[in-house]
Amino acid sequence: MRKRFKDYIKPDTLEGVFSSIENAPDESQIIAGGTDLLLERSAKIEKGKKILIDIGGIEDISKITIKDKELAIGAGVKLADIECSKLVREDFPILVQGVKEVGSPQIRNLATIGGNLCNGSPAADTVPALLVLDAIVEIASSQGVRDVPLTEFHMGPSQTILNRNEILTLVKIPEMEKAFSGNYHKLKTREALDLAFVGVAVLLIDHRDTIEARIGLGAVSPIPFRSVEAEKYLNNSQDFSDKSLWHAAEIAANSSSPISDVRCSAEYRHEMVKNMTYQSLRKNLDQLRGALIDD
Amino acid sequence: MTKQIMLLVNEIEYQVMIDVNDLLIDVIRDKLGLLGTKKGCGSGDCGACTVLVDGKPVTSCLILAISAIGKRIETIEGMGTEKELHPIQQSFIDKGAIQCGYCTPGLLLTAKALLDKNSHPSENEIREAISGNLCRCTGYVKIVDAIVSAGEINAGDET
Amino acid sequence: MNKFKNIGKSLPRVDSNSKATGKTKFISDLVRPGMLFAKLLLSDRPHARIVKIETSDAENLKGVHAVITSKDAPNRRFGLYLEDRLIFPETVVRYVGEPIAAVAAESEDLAEQAISLIKVVYADLPPVFSLEDSMRDDAIDLHPDLESYSGIHDYIRHKNVCMDARLNIGDVTEGFTNSEFIFEGEFSSQGMHQASLEPHSCMAELDINGRLCIWTGTQQLSVCHKEIATALDLPMTDVRVIPAWMGGGFGGKLKSQFEPIVGLLALRSKKPVKLALSREEEFLTARPRAPFKVKIKTGVSKDGVLMAREVDILADCGAYADHVIGTASHAITISQGPYRIPNCKARARVIYTNNRDWGCMRGYGAPQILFAVESQMDEIAYALGEDPAKFRLKNIATEGDKLISTQPFLALRARETLEKVLEESQFDQKKKELGENQGIGISTSLVLTGLLSSSALVRINEDATVTVITSVTDIGTGTYTVLTQIVAEKLGVPFEQVAVACMDSDTSPYDTGSIASRTTYDSGNAVRLASEDIIGRLKNIAATTLNCKAEEILYDAGKAFIKDNPARSLSFEELVGLSLYVHHGPLIGQGSWIAAKPWEEKIGEGYGEAPYGTFMYGAHVAEVEVDPSTGKIAILNYTACHDVGRALNPVGIEGQIEGGVAQGIGYALYEEMVLEDGRLVNPNFTDYRVPTALDIPRVAYQIDEEPDPTGPYGAKGIGEPPIIPPAAAIANAIRDAIGVRITSTPIKHEDLYFKLNFRESHQGNNFVTTQVKERK
């Protein structure tokens, strides 16, 4: 319905947000970029939500900073700004790859990282990259803040662990002090605007004596996730032969639970997890080894 | 909830009565009477409704008018007139980049934002920049040509 | 050397400036004081009896001015080929998305609320979704009164089949008997939405005479006008239709669609009423290209000469026949492709189902049939060990060869366009050079144009400017510009001195409209004739003024002069001045054009198509690379050649080629209306994928110009030909690249992946059979 909301508040501070929520907890709906909430066919908004609380005016959560060896991206930072940020491009290129896949340039000028996470789409392009970067989300309420690993943030499609009086304020990524190579690969049909059929993020970190593999998968299960079994296999075996990489890729595919939908079949998604994981492992391994040799 | 707000559009301050639920595209078209911004899908998937907000292209079907207070909004009406076309508009006309014309306003603004940032974009940079603007008529080739040409004119290169 | 002043010049479009500045008023931009907003109630059942529609709550909602259902509409069936529909269904709904009621209210929000207050009680009827099920003897009759429907032709009809047309030429049985090899294949193509960027919109009001006046985005002003009047059971003079600019048509905005509904709302409420469909409604209720199933059987001699062909087309028209009859008819007419096949048999059946209300789109049946024809041509070439280019050239139509409908191939350029595209694309060289998982494929194009009729008036104004009055709407293809060029050239006046008038059914003379690539050829001929009429009159004025016989006067480059004494001349302006008050009277020229004479004898069985005025040829070559790990297809290079007779406006031609190829690539790889039990699963731009700027390559092209003597300045058309070849060119290139033959569009990378990597278990689907029966 067009006249869904009866009020709109745009506080300057987080405290303002919390007190607005407290005034009408059942009716409050946080809005950031609005690109999911305002869709004509958006069924995401619960029936009783009548008051929009716009977090776009809060400076504290609209910045990208480095602090205590962590990159902290405010939940209100637009995806386009992450894409252009020198900091992020240099130190966390895999995140830029994920961000660039969302929607279109216009959408990215509106959408926020916080919104993308809180929307909770199983196919969200930012999440697999953030998962392999060991991202932590800071959640705030009038009671204070708490940190939650991103791996524990999503509970199901469109479901997060946020309580009614909480908002996501920061996405924190530990700085990478070692050499690494990673990429996010999205399988889609068109080169723009498409939602992911499958999303695979792979990050390999050089710990000198060992290589650590991290694999993040999107669009192939109710929530994006780290394929822990595949990672364990590689990290324990330290076998990075072709045969082993394929084996890891198979484990990753088996760890996913894709569905068939209007885009493609579950069977195809399964195959693609396998192929794309192998290719990313291979490519990043070669890059890492190449970089090491250059050293 | 209705509210009187001020919107800055094409450097003109408009006082307008809006409802909290009003989308920017509807306010621009129905309340300000600026019909050049077009409605194609209502879901941010086609780019026909693209306007510039603080110089950046956005799909106006996905912004509440009330959240556009204090921002600098540009629509096609602010880009040039028939007597004094913006160079990008002239370039689109000269290169045959306009057919039905429905996607044209959104595309012109997206192109303007691109060229304001990067006056010599590569073909791939152009295609990426306009990847959120669907065109059903032209197959995009002449649009790309027009943007390349406009960039050269903008930068003072020879045509 | 171009001897013309306006013809052959890439003059900027007359509408470009206005469109570039956002000043052009599209149909969805129109507003009126006190205007009401219309909304449709769409059926959510594929097949059901309407037991009851309760509208009182909606009527009582404050701000609602009209609520209408079938009881408020005349009980007058209408439809283009077959009169099988009513404004609202009276007793039975036939597809999910069928409008069954409408409201007009003071705001869009109120209109939505009113719709939600209408209560409908349905009694579900067994739905029919498959063509085979629909044709069974025990299938439910989707149109029990089928036999009683009037049509423009006496179609052969039987159980749920509203058209059963057959064409025959030569002796197919003998042709197959004399064939060494026989190839059989089954191909299918998807429902494709026009996806015009502007959804359907129209506005109805009472004009200054109190008469119903409907503004609409229509490709066919005259046809739309007639159909609205028929549906509303009014004489045409009681209804006025005015077209506004529209954001895309592509065959989706032909004749009338929602205008009668909005007209009724305006008559009811006595206020202006506007309907603007949302994107979702556009997908649910507007009329997209129909899915076809094509069986094609071709007999070939041992020397690789085509001997016989048999084609069987099943076309799903959904709830109503609409244009599907025309597309299926056009498809069997060109079912040989641009090749010599003396013995042919073709059958097309158009079948009712509860799948949608299918209509038509650019290409009008040609994409569906030529995908099958051109895919099979490659398979035949492979089986015979022949090069696909040479095989085609060996069988290409030559002067004297005939279509299955008995028309000879007119203005034949099939060989030339194929040779040119092969050269431009460096086909032979590339075929050798391309690497693993890369391939190159060919497809030809054949579309018939010169359809039905056009008329035009040319009016010379007192200041010697020229007004062209026609009812062919410019849907973005540059029609007005081309017509302006023709008239300016004919009259020898500057381009800027000529303008096409805004259209109005009250004043614009009949034109079949912007359909079938005909506006340059047919409407162009009409304005040419009208201009020549003017010239005849100018010559008379000159003769009288210069005191000689009319036969002694020549007219050229804006001057009338005595043949033997050119110094004695009068300029266009002078002649115009003389006409108004001295000789002849005000100058009004008329042109009335019909594309072709009717058949001299009966053609086929149940076949209602007229002969066409001219044929358009073309050919494309696609180079692709397939990623074996995902099945994804990249188009490496794309080349096109089209025969246009004469390029009246070269940049315009290029734009049509590039745009048509883009839509053809969408048809080949990206776009599909996905239905599950009659419900559209993807009624949005998220999952109905219109190609973006990152998906469409540049097109290298050659434009073939061999003037067609029947066209204005030799011009033919270009609107549809480019959309046809991409599907088969890409499918053939994929076949060349990885040895996988896909027989249905769109070609999905998932299918390619499994067929390539799991050949045994994924060998076929329901539609694939390519057998070779070798005869001794």
Side-chain angles (χ1 to χ4, degrees):
Chain A
M1 286 309 250
R2 290 159 190 274
K3 302 290 183 197
R4 190 193 295 271
F5 298 108
K6 69 176 189 203
D7 204 356
Y8 170 91
I9 305 166
K10 192 172 179 181
D12 288 330
T13 62
L14 283 173
E15 289 67 38
V17 172
F18 299 138
S19 62
S20 301
I21 297 174
E22 244 147 85
N23 284 340
D26 291 331
E27 294 184 310
S28 295
Q29 173 67 57
I30 303 286
I31 184 169
T35 54
D36 289 307
L37 284 178
L38 296 179
L39 290 173
E40 261 186 0
R41 59 187 185 281
S42 173
K44 291 184 193 300
I45 307 173
E46 286 171 42
K47 246 199 165 134
K49 304 283 185 183
K50 292 207 182 305
I51 299 170
L52 281 172
I53 303 174
D54 187 340
I55 59 163
I58 302 170
E59 258 199 69
D60 284 344
I61 59 170
S62 303
K63 298 190 282 224
I64 303 176
T65 54
I66 294 258
K67 202 177 82 160
D68 298 333
K69 294 192 188 284
E70 264 183 347
L71 178 76
I73 307 176
V77 173
K78 307 251 191 279
L79 296 182
D81 293 330
I82 297 175
E83 206 181 320
C84 296
S85 154
K86 193 155 174 287
L87 257 176
V88 183
R89 289 162 80 89
E90 278 175 2
D91 293 346
F92 305 96
I94 191 177
L95 178 56
V96 173
Q97 285 178 351
V99 161
K100 272 182 79 136
E101 291 287 356
V102 177
S104 67
Q106 289 94 323
I107 299 274
R108 296 196 290 278
N109 280 328
L110 288 171
T112 63
I113 184 82
N116 198 242
L117 293 181
C118 292
N119 185 47
S121 162
D125 289 309
T126 58
V127 183
L130 286 171
L131 286 173
V132 300
L133 289 170
D134 273 351
I136 298 160
V137 293
E138 179 189 271
I139 295 169
S141 71
S142 52
Q143 265 86 62
V145 298
R146 60 185 178 116
D147 279 352
V148 172
L150 184 59
T151 46
E152 291 165 32
F153 182 69
H154 292 111
M155 295 170 49
S158 307
Q159 289 173 46
T160 69
I161 56 158
L162 289 174
N163 292 321
R164 210 164 44 189
N165 61 342
E166 291 179 313
I167 72 164
L168 188 146
T169 44
L170 288 178
V171 178
K172 299 194 279 195
I173 304 170
E175 265 201 339
M176 197 70 72
E177 289 177 336
K178 313 238 167 62
F180 64 90
S181 177
N183 76 309
Y184 174 67
H185 182 193
K186 171 181 180 174
L187 181 70
K188 52 210 171 169
T189 297
R190 292 182 300 177
E191 293 308 306
L193 289 170
D194 273 7
L195 295 178
F197 284 34
V198 172
V200 173
V202 164
L203 189 66
L204 297 181
I205 302 163
D206 170 34
H207 289 281
R208 291 269 161 213
D209 296 329
T210 56
I211 292 177
E212 180 193 351
R214 299 183 190 168
I215 301 168
L217 301 176
V220 291
S221 51
I223 61 172
F225 68 106
R226 289 269 294 267
S227 184
V228 172
E229 299 94 326
E231 293 175 359
K232 249 200 201 129
Y233 163 73
L234 279 175
N235 294 337
N236 290 343
S237 71
Q238 289 296 305
D239 179 357
F240 294 98
S241 65
D242 230 41
K243 189 162 171 217
S244 181
L245 295 184
W246 271 116
H247 186 62
E250 281 235 35
I251 299 174
N254 292 335
S255 73
S256 68
S257 48
I259 57 167
S260 296
D261 62 16
V262 66
R263 286 163 217 137
C264 59
S265 70
E267 197 190 351
Y268 180 64
R269 286 189 160 105
H270 186 270
E271 287 291 305
M272 291 305 102
V273 173
K274 188 173 61 169
N275 292 355
M276 289 162 68
T277 302
Y278 166 78
Q279 283 176 345
S280 291
L281 284 169
R282 175 85 269 153
K283 172 176 154 169
N284 287 301
L285 192 66
D286 291 343
Q287 259 168 244
L288 200 61
R289 282 183 175 154
L292 292 175
I293 290 167
D294 285 345
D295 275 346
Chain B
M1 177 187 109
T2 53
K3 215 178 146 161
Q4 172 99 339
I5 65 169
M6 193 275 280
L7 287 177
L8 178 65
V9 183
N10 301 327
E11 303 188 13
I12 298 172
E13 290 178 357
Y14 289 91
Q15 292 291 339
V16 60
M17 200 68 175
I18 56 135
D19 182 285
V20 143
N21 294 280
D22 286 347
L23 297 169
L24 183 60
I25 184 179
D26 293 325
V27 170
I28 287 174
R29 284 177 55 84
D30 303 335
K31 301 219 160 107
L32 304 185
L34 299 170
L35 296 170
T37 306
K38 304 301 179 199
K39 231 182 190 174
C41 70
S43 57
D45 286 312
C46 74
C49 68
T50 300
V51 299
L52 300 184
V53 172
D54 292 336
K56 300 191 176 140
V58 295
T59 37
S60 60
C61 68
L62 292 181
I63 318 172
L64 293 172
I66 198 164
S67 71
I69 297 172
K71 310 230 176 173
R72 188 170 47 93
I73 301 165
E74 292 169 73
T75 70
I76 187 67
E77 286 85 355
M79 198 166 165
T81 61
E82 281 185 76
K83 296 247 155 50
E84 251 189 82
L85 292 165
H86 189 285
I88 306 176
Q89 288 169 316
Q90 187 66 60
S91 191
F92 266 56
I93 293 167
D94 294 341
K95 292 289 181 186
I98 305 175
Q99 290 191 29
C100 84
Y102 203 72
C103 73
T104 303
L107 259 163
L108 284 168
L109 289 166
T110 301
K112 177 174 186 285
L114 171 68
L115 293 176
D116 282 348
K117 225 173 46 180
N118 173 4
S119 61
H120 283 85
S122 67
E123 172 146 351
N124 202 54
E125 283 170 326
I126 293 173
R127 285 177 182 266
E128 280 200 12
I130 64 172
S131 60
N133 293 78
L134 294 183
C135 175
R136 200 47 165 160
C137 298
T138 66
Y140 304 104
V141 176
K142 297 204 181 316
I143 293 171
V144 173
D145 289 345
I147 296 173
V148 168
S149 172
E152 286 162 1
I153 295 170
N154 247 1
D157 297 358
E158 279 181 16
T159 41
Chain C
M1 230 281 292
N2 185 358
K3 61 185 191 235
F4 300 113
K5 283 223 162 66
N6 294 290
I7 297 299
K9 300 271 160 60
S10 290
L11 296 172
R13 292 201 185 179
V14 299
D15 40 288
S16 279
N17 276 40
S18 183
K19 286 176 177 173
T21 53
K23 292 274 184 306
T24 299
K25 292 268 185 308
F26 289 83
I27 180 63
S28 54
D29 293 331
L30 297 186
V31 286
R32 290 284 185 271
M35 184 173 82
L36 302 176
F37 297 85
K39 201 100 178 118
L40 305 174
L41 174 63
L42 305 179
S43 157
D44 69 355
R45 307 298 165 93
H47 194 206
R49 208 165 37 85
I50 303 171
V51 174
K52 197 163 69 155
I53 303 187
E54 184 54 67
T55 57
S56 49
D57 287 346
E59 287 167 39
N60 293 332
L61 183 65
K62 188 163 181 292
V64 172
H65 288 245
V67 180
I68 55 173
T69 65
S70 69
K71 66 174 177 16
D72 304 296
N75 193 17
R76 171 74 167 89
R77 289 203 180 277
F78 62 98
L80 178 63
Y81 288 93
L82 200 60
E83 295 186 353
D84 60 358
R85 65 169 86 224
L86 294 165
I87 293 177
F88 292 118
E90 204 173 14
T91 47
V92 174
V93 294
R94 294 185 176 89
Y95 70 101
V96 174
E98 179 161 18
I100 58 173
V103 306
E106 287 167 14
S107 71
E108 288 184 77
D109 197 46
L110 281 172
E112 260 181 44
Q113 276 185 53
I115 290 292
S116 70
L117 292 173
I118 300 177
K119 299 185 209 21
V120 186
V121 179
Y122 296 101
D124 287 315
L125 295 167
V128 183
F129 302 125
S130 95
L131 297 176
E132 290 75 18
D133 285 346
S134 189
M135 291 191 290
R136 285 162 46 139
D137 287 336
D138 60 355
I140 187 167
D141 279 307
L142 295 174
H143 282 264
D145 298 325
L146 175 57
E147 293 299 330
S148 69
Y149 294 158
S150 318
I152 58 169
H153 184 78
D154 193 15
Y155 296 110
I156 294 171
R157 317 160 203 193
H158 39 95
K159 172 70 80 184
N160 288 332
V161 174
C162 58
M163 180 192 90
D164 188 345
R166 291 170 212 254
L167 289 173
N168 238 308
I169 197 168
D171 185 334
V172 141
T173 313
E174 193 175 321
F176 282 124
T177 306
N178 294 335
S179 300
E180 193 73 18
F181 305 104
I182 296 177
F183 297 84
E184 293 180 72
E186 287 188 45
F187 297 84
S188 68
S189 53
Q190 78 281 34
M192 177 186 191
H193 204 286
Q194 300 85 5
S196 298
L197 227 42
E198 183 187 35
H200 279 77
S201 185
C202 56
M203 183 187 73
E205 59 182 351
L206 302 183
D207 74 0
I208 56 169
N209 290 346
R211 221 180 10 152
L212 180 63
C213 174
I214 301 180
W215 295 76
T216 183
T218 178
Q219 297 179 236
Q220 297 182 292
L221 175 56
S222 311
V223 177
C224 182
H225 180 207
K226 166 117 194 300
E227 195 169 86
I228 295 170
T230 307
L232 293 177
D233 214 7
L234 293 169
M236 284 173 77
T237 41
D238 274 8
V239 178
R240 186 171 168 201
V241 184
I242 304 179
W245 289 93
M246 42 196 267
F250 314 115
K253 293 173 183 171
L254 300 175
K255 51 196 204 61
S256 79
Q257 294 194 31
F258 309 102
E259 294 86 351
I261 294 174
V262 179
L264 277 178
L265 287 170
L267 287 169
R268 253 295 156 92
S269 63
K270 308 263 187 302
K271 285 173 155 290
V273 178
K274 181 160 134 194
L275 174 72
L277 294 190
S278 69
R279 179 53 58 183
E280 186 174 352
E281 288 165 337
E282 176 74 12
F283 273 111
L284 289 174
T285 196
R287 298 169 204 166
R289 190 200 299 284
F292 276 28
K293 285 193 194 180
V294 178
K295 281 199 185 131
I296 178 167
K297 178 173 161 185
T298 304
V300 185
S301 78
K302 68 176 183 318
D303 301 320
V305 173
L306 297 171
M307 304 287 289
R309 169 161 295 159
E310 188 173 337
V311 158
D312 193 327
I313 295 177
L314 298 180
D316 182 353
C317 67
Y320 300 101
D322 205 79
H323 274 278
V324 186
I325 286 183
T327 63
S329 305
H330 182 231
I332 48 168
T333 311
I334 57 170
S335 55
Q336 293 136 301
Y339 302 109
R340 177 191 322 110
I341 313 180
N343 307 296
C344 298
K345 188 163 127 174
R347 183 183 189 190
R349 280 169 285 179
V350 176
I351 303 154
Y352 288 123
T353 66
N354 298 119
N355 277 326
R356 282 289 323 195
D357 185 4
W358 298 111
C360 67
M361 186 176 168
R362 190 176 188 178
Y364 213 70
Q368 297 96 314
I369 185 69
L370 290 179
F371 172 65
V373 165
E374 287 293 328
S375 296
Q376 194 186 58
M377 287 297 277
D378 256 35
E379 285 303 313
I380 297 174
Y382 277 116
L384 300 179
E386 292 208 27
D387 171 81
K390 296 192 176 57
F391 174 64
R392 284 176 170 81
L393 286 167
K394 180 170 21 187
N395 287 287
I396 205 87
T398 51
E399 213 59 50
D401 289 334
K402 291 188 182 167
L403 283 184
I404 187 175
S405 61
T406 74
Q407 271 199 287
F409 281 94
L410 299 174
L412 194 53
R413 297 296 291 170
R415 171 176 300 278
E416 291 80 1
T417 48
L418 181 52
E419 282 171 344
K420 283 183 181 176
V421 83
L422 292 170
E423 191 191 316
E424 179 76 27
S425 65
Q426 301 175 295
F427 181 82
D428 290 336
Q429 194 184 330
K430 288 286 177 83
K431 203 149 167 50
K432 296 191 195 101
E433 281 174 3
L434 286 172
E436 201 186 345
N437 299 319
Q438 295 179 336
I440 189 165
I442 306 167
S443 172
T444 63
S445 175
L446 174 64
V447 179
L448 312 183
T449 190
L451 180 74
L452 300 178
S453 57
S454 292
S455 58
L457 299 169
V458 166
R459 185 190 76 204
I460 314 299
N461 303 311
E462 288 167 87
D463 62 354
T465 56
V466 181
T467 299
V468 181
I469 306 168
T470 159
S471 65
V472 61
T473 46
D474 187 332
I475 60 173
T477 55
T479 302
Y480 294 168
T481 308
V482 160
L483 296 183
T484 305
Q485 286 176 265
I486 293 171
V487 173
E489 190 70 44
K490 269 282 159 193
L491 297 181
V493 299
F495 180 79
E496 296 72 27
Q497 208 163 311
V498 180
V500 173
C502 277
M503 298 179 186
D504 187 328
S505 65
D506 266 4
T507 50
S508 307
Y510 178 88
D511 192 298
T512 300
S514 214
I515 174 178
S517 314
R518 63 182 295 288
T519 61
T520 299
Y521 184 79
D522 291 301
S523 312
N525 267 322
V527 305
R528 170 187 65 82
L529 289 170
S531 305
E532 286 168 3
D533 188 13
I534 292 283
I535 290 170
R537 295 165 202 274
L538 293 174
K539 284 183 179 177
N540 284 340
I541 298 168
T544 312
T545 312
L546 298 174
N547 206 10
C548 64
K549 297 203 191 74
E551 306 83 73
E552 294 173 62
I553 299 286
L554 291 181
Y555 184 88
D556 189 40
K559 268 211 256 277
F561 53 92
I562 299 181
K563 188 163 51 180
D564 296 329
N565 189 0
R568 298 200 61 216
S569 68
L570 288 160
S571 71
F572 180 75
E573 284 71 17
E574 286 171 320
L575 292 162
V576 172
L578 287 164
S579 75
L580 281 169
Y581 307 109
V582 185
H583 299 299
H584 180 279
L587 287 164
I588 184 98
Q590 67 177 44
S592 187
W593 162 267
I594 191 155
K597 291 206 208 43
W599 301 111
E600 279 170 7
E601 49 185 29
K602 180 164 178 269
I603 300 292
E605 296 291 324
Y607 176 75
E609 295 298 284
Y612 288 83
T614 190
F615 299 177
M616 301 175 288
Y617 306 88
H620 291 190
V621 169
E623 277 173 56
V624 306
E625 181 166 358
V626 181
D627 178 348
S629 71
T630 57
K632 281 199 72 173
I633 304 131
I635 301 175
L636 303 172
N637 285 300
Y638 200 93
T639 316
C641 178
H642 282 284
D643 131 65
V644 302
R646 191 188 305 270
L648 299 187
N649 189 313
V651 147
I653 300 276
E654 291 166 14
Q656 287 296 293
I657 294 175
E658 288 158 354
V661 167
Q663 289 189 348
I665 291 174
Y667 179 68
L669 298 177
Y670 297 112
E671 301 178 42
E672 183 182 13
M673 296 190 68
V674 181
L675 291 168
E676 271 164 30
D677 292 339
R679 275 167 217 284
L680 186 60
V681 167
N682 57 340
N684 52 63
F685 275 154
T686 309
D687 287 310
Y688 184 88
R689 301 193 194 88
V690 173
T692 71
L694 288 171
D695 301 307
I696 302 296
R698 284 194 173 266
V699 180
Y701 40 72
Q702 282 230 10
I703 295 170
D704 176 84
E705 290 184 87
E706 177 65 33
D708 176 345
T710 63
Y713 291 101
K716 293 185 183 182
I718 188 59
E720 294 167 295
I723 199 179
I724 290 145
I730 291 170
N732 287 338
I734 291 170
R735 170 55 158 111
D736 185 44
I738 57 172
V740 170
R741 166 63 61 192
I742 302 285
T743 56
S744 60
T745 52
I747 299 166
K748 298 182 191 165
H749 44 98
E750 172 172 348
D751 276 349
L752 279 185
Y753 174 78
F754 282 117
K755 287 191 159 67
L756 175 59
N757 294 296
F758 297 87
R759 283 185 198 266
E760 293 85 45
S761 53
H762 284 80
Q763 200 35 257
N765 59 36
N766 285 339
F767 305 118
V768 180
T769 39
T770 308
Q771 302 163 278
V772 174
K773 287 187 248 168
E774 207 172 320
R775 274 200 70 246
K776 291 285 178 285

